Amino acid sequence: AQTVTQSQPEMSVQEAETVTLSCTYDTSENNYYLFWYKQPPSRQMILVIRQEAYKQQNATENRFSVNFQKAAKSFSLKISDSQLGDTAMYFCAFPGSGGSNYKLTFGKGTLLTVNP
Amino acid sequence: DTGVSQNPRHKITKRGQNVTFRCDPISEHNRLYWYRQTLGQGPEFLTYFQNEAQLEKSRLLSDRFSAERPKGSFSTLEIQRTEQGDSAMYLCASSTLAGGPRSEQYFGPGTRLTVT
């Protein structure tokens, strides 16, 4: 079974600073996708960034970037120039394999608080 | 289109009662998912529809749970004889069929169920 581990239950950062959230996963697949989703307080979950495992280049979306280490099965999210609106739960997610590649397995999440 | 909607947003029920939740996905999305999220955990996959066909049910989904998606449009999730352990946030998501495992899942705001 595939597993996703987020070892940081909570983190905090000062506004405008950089923070990195960690995620490790386990899979026997060679080609797959990884996602970071954000769940703001009392609001719905939205996709932050996705990474394709066969691409060596780390994905970047504005202030969000990933550090994808395939051999280490590590997929961390870096948020630069943190803003108050970045305060949320962040989930690392990983689709199932083969015919079950539609369902996501989520980590337990990291609660990020951005302080003014 | 305003995204994925779920009703009701909150439901309080007494143990043993039946409850039904509704999800309206983004109109052109073929795929619809139900997840359950308990406090301090990431969402857990419950079931998946492709158009009107229910293609997978998690072992988490006991016989008391049933889901439908008539005509491949909205979906309902019914829980019969509710138990206190059913208290959770029930999330619905939808996505397109194209793109396979890289497809972004769009989440609704969830229905929070409290069983007293």
Side-chain angles (χ1 to χ4, degrees):
Chain A
Q2 292 168 147
T3 59
V4 179
T5 302
Q6 293 180 251
S7 58
Q8 304 152 314
E10 295 187 36
M11 293 191 72
S12 63
V13 65
Q14 293 298 121
E15 196 174 7
E17 293 186 348
T18 295
V19 64
T20 299
L21 310 183
S22 64
C23 172
T24 59
Y25 60 94
D26 187 26
T27 183
S28 57
E29 298 290 310
N30 188 51
N31 192 19
Y32 48 88
Y33 297 84
L34 290 158
F35 302 86
W36 278 98
Y37 278 86
K38 167 185 177 180
Q39 188 175 39
S42 301
R43 293 177 60 188
Q44 51 216 78
M45 197 170 321
I46 57 173
L47 179 67
V48 175
I49 198 167
R50 95 186 98 205
Q51 174 76 40
E52 301 179 63
Y54 69 90
K55 288 188 174 179
Q56 298 211 348
Q57 186 174 9
N58 289 323
T60 300
E61 291 284 346
N62 301 311
R63 297 181 295 107
F64 298 86
S65 61
V66 301
N67 182 4
F68 175 51
Q69 302 287 331
K70 189 174 183 180
K73 296 181 181 175
S74 170
F75 180 58
S76 60
L77 175 69
K78 186 172 82 170
I79 306 173
S80 304
D81 186 25
S82 297
Q83 300 175 0
L84 297 178
D86 295 333
T87 293
M89 282 291 291
Y90 286 83
F91 293 98
C92 179
F94 182 70
S97 59
S100 297
N101 61 14
Y102 45 79
K103 64 181 182 184
L104 294 175
T105 297
F106 288 85
K108 291 188 175 183
T110 296
L111 176 60
L112 176 67
T113 302
V114 180
N115 298 309
Chain B
D1 188 77
T2 55
V4 179
S5 61
Q6 293 186 246
N7 288 290
R9 296 290 304 276
H10 303 274
K11 180 70 178 179
I12 300 174
T13 191
K14 293 185 177 180
R15 188 178 55 178
Q17 298 294 305
N18 299 343
V19 294
T20 299
F21 311 140
R22 176 177 172 128
C23 169
D24 287 272
I26 293 172
S27 57
E28 63 267 26
H29 284 184
N30 312 90
R31 293 180 160 182
L32 186 146
Y33 317 79
W34 285 98
Y35 293 87
R36 180 170 67 189
Q37 185 178 20
T38 53
L39 201 60
Q41 303 292 321
E44 295 174 295
F45 172 81
L46 291 180
T47 191
Y48 158 67
F49 290 85
Q50 186 169 303
N51 299 313
E52 66 275 9
Q54 187 175 20
L55 297 186
E56 184 171 348
K57 290 175 61 173
S58 164
R59 288 189 302 272
L60 294 174
L61 221 59
S62 75
D63 291 343
R64 297 183 298 105
F65 288 72
S66 63
E68 294 182 343
R69 191 183 182 197
K71 302 179 183 177
S73 55
F74 70 92
S75 176
T76 58
L77 178 67
E78 180 184 15
I79 309 174
Q80 296 183 327
R81 304 181 303 281
T82 52
E83 302 174 354
Q84 289 188 321
D86 297 332
S87 295
M89 176 77 85
Y90 290 83
L91 297 171
C92 177
S94 69
S95 71
T96 60
L97 188 57
R102 75 179 305 276
S103 295
E104 175 180 356
Q105 292 187 20
Y106 293 80
F107 284 81
T111 295
R112 181 167 296 283
L113 173 67
T114 302
V115 182
T116 62

